[in-house]
Amino acid sequence: MPINAAPLADVTASDSTLRRFLHGLPGVDSVGLEARAASLGTRSIKTTAKAYAIDLAISMIDLTTLEGADTPGKVRALAAKAVHPDPTDRTTPHTAAVCVYPDMVATAKAALAGTDVKVASVATAFPAGRAALDVKLADTRDAVAAGADEIDMVIDRGAFLAGNYMKVHEEIRAVKEACGDSARLKVIFETGELSTYDNIRRASWLGMLAGADFIKTSTGKVAVNATPANTLLMLEAVRDFRAQTGVQVGVKPAGGIRTTKDAVKFLVLVNETVGEDWLDSHWFRFGASSLLNDLLMQRQKLATGRYSGPDYVTVD
């Protein structure tokens, strides 16, 4: 049910009102949350439903390379794979986006010209977010100027955990402004560093209040990334936020989602928690690199009855 709170227009009027709102959110029943996530993960998806789920999952992937050794050639190869994930079967849907560092945006944009695949760029001193605001904004503006359609920013977890919510809120707002009208903003919480489910709920509402187009679990650079439980909690938050404001916000679990079975579990969470409105790449994404290969192998098995093995797909 919708959160019972003061009018949201007043929530961010001051540090004290924002703190009062965030700490007034209902506490998370961790046992109940994990039990529901586990229960939904046992749903069995077969035959045509499984084929639909696989294609849907492929279309929701932000195919990602975020390594210090990234080269223009690697990014161009990844872009080609995003457009035609299985060159032997042109009915395979393209992925939602290719996600790269800001200095690789121009390369990705050129490689994806004329396609519907978006270019996403991490920014704001990813993955730690430890930089001055002017540096974070310059990082964002450079990526947008190079052609990024989407910006994946990281919040200042230190400020959040210290209770400096207004600083985090104002940074998100400033980055959103730097995105202009051309780029959607995904806000990464790094849920593995937030320690508690209550903090994840607070971060979700803080990000949405500040103007996030998406809320995202993780950078994929820490030990604990996306889990069914933390993603379920964020899905509940976007559901309640839309019920209260009329504004729809997307969700992106990232890191640790490697198999078709994993992806289907997350799609069940989406369907059962927020419904069909979010079962679209405009509102739900997977941040992943290895997931696509497993989806492709399972897709071929459904089509041919044979499991081809890892040599069937490229190694990114």
Side-chain angles (χ1 to χ4, degrees), residues 7-154:
L8 294 186
D10 301 330
V11 165
T12 58
S14 69
D15 186 66
S16 61
T17 57
L18 181 57
R19 175 183 300 277
R20 188 160 53 246
F21 173 80
L22 294 176
H23 283 267
L25 294 170
V28 179
D29 173 3
S30 59
V31 174
L33 178 73
E34 291 174 1
R36 176 162 173 75
S39 173
L40 290 174
T42 64
R43 299 285 177 87
S44 180
I45 306 295
K46 302 292 185 182
T47 59
T48 55
K50 184 175 181 180
Y52 171 78
I54 287 172
D55 279 6
L56 183 60
I58 291 171
S59 76
M60 291 174 164
I61 289 177
D62 284 359
L63 194 57
T64 302
T65 183
L66 297 170
E67 303 298 333
D70 286 344
T71 64
K74 181 178 180 180
V75 170
R76 284 192 286 268
L78 203 68
K81 184 172 182 176
V83 176
H84 296 299
D86 182 353
T88 70
D89 183 355
R90 293 304 177 96
T91 68
T92 309
H94 61 73
T95 70
V98 168
C99 185
V100 295
Y101 276 115
D103 64 321
M104 289 292 170
V105 167
T107 299
K109 193 72 175 179
L112 293 168
T115 76
D116 292 327
V117 179
K118 305 295 184 184
V119 175
S121 174
V122 296
T124 65
F126 178 95
R130 310 300 298 207
L133 180 58
D134 59 345
V135 174
K136 294 180 180 182
L137 295 178
D139 203 23
T140 302
R141 293 187 186 111
D142 283 350
V144 173
D149 303 296
E150 301 167 357
I151 295 294
D152 290 36
M153 74 165 285
V154 288

Side-chain angles (χ1 to χ4, degrees), residues 159-311:
F160 179 89
L161 291 170
N164 196 348
Y165 301 131
M166 188 56 76
K167 178 184 178 184
V168 179
H169 178 272
E170 291 307 301
E171 283 199 351
I172 296 171
R173 282 177 57 89
V175 174
K176 173 70 172 175
E177 184 176 345
C179 289
D181 297 327
S182 60
R184 297 176 79 202
L185 178 63
K186 307 190 195 92
V187 177
I188 309 170
F189 303 137
E190 200 68 287
T191 51
E193 294 184 346
L194 296 188
S195 302
T196 69
Y197 288 130
D198 285 342
N199 275 341
I200 295 171
R201 174 170 279 172
R202 291 175 189 134
S204 297
W205 277 83
L206 181 59
M208 293 186 292
L209 288 168
D213 297 300
F214 264 80
I215 54 176
K216 177 178 171 182
T217 61
S218 330
T219 63
K221 302 295 186 181
V222 299
V224 179
N225 294 288
T227 67
N230 62 34
T231 303
L232 173 59
L233 181 56
M234 291 167 63
L235 287 166
E236 290 175 346
V238 299
R239 176 198 64 197
D240 293 344
F241 188 78
R242 189 178 75 167
Q244 191 156 332
T245 67
V247 176
Q248 186 162 336
V249 176
V251 176
K252 178 179 173 180
I257 305 171
R258 298 184 176 90
T259 69
T260 299
K261 184 179 291 186
D262 290 337
V264 170
K265 287 180 181 179
F266 280 86
L267 291 178
V268 171
L269 287 179
V270 176
N271 188 62
E272 296 298 318
T273 308
V274 291
E276 292 185 5
D277 287 353
W278 271 266
L279 282 174
D280 184 277
S281 63
H282 195 73
W283 298 113
F284 192 79
R285 299 282 181 84
F286 292 105
S289 51
S290 59
L291 172 62
L292 179 57
N293 283 351
D294 192 72
L295 288 165
L296 292 174
M297 288 189 289
Q298 295 299 329
R299 190 178 193 273
Q300 193 201 42
K301 183 180 179 182
L302 283 178
T304 67
R306 298 185 303 276
Y307 185 75
S308 58
D311 289 341

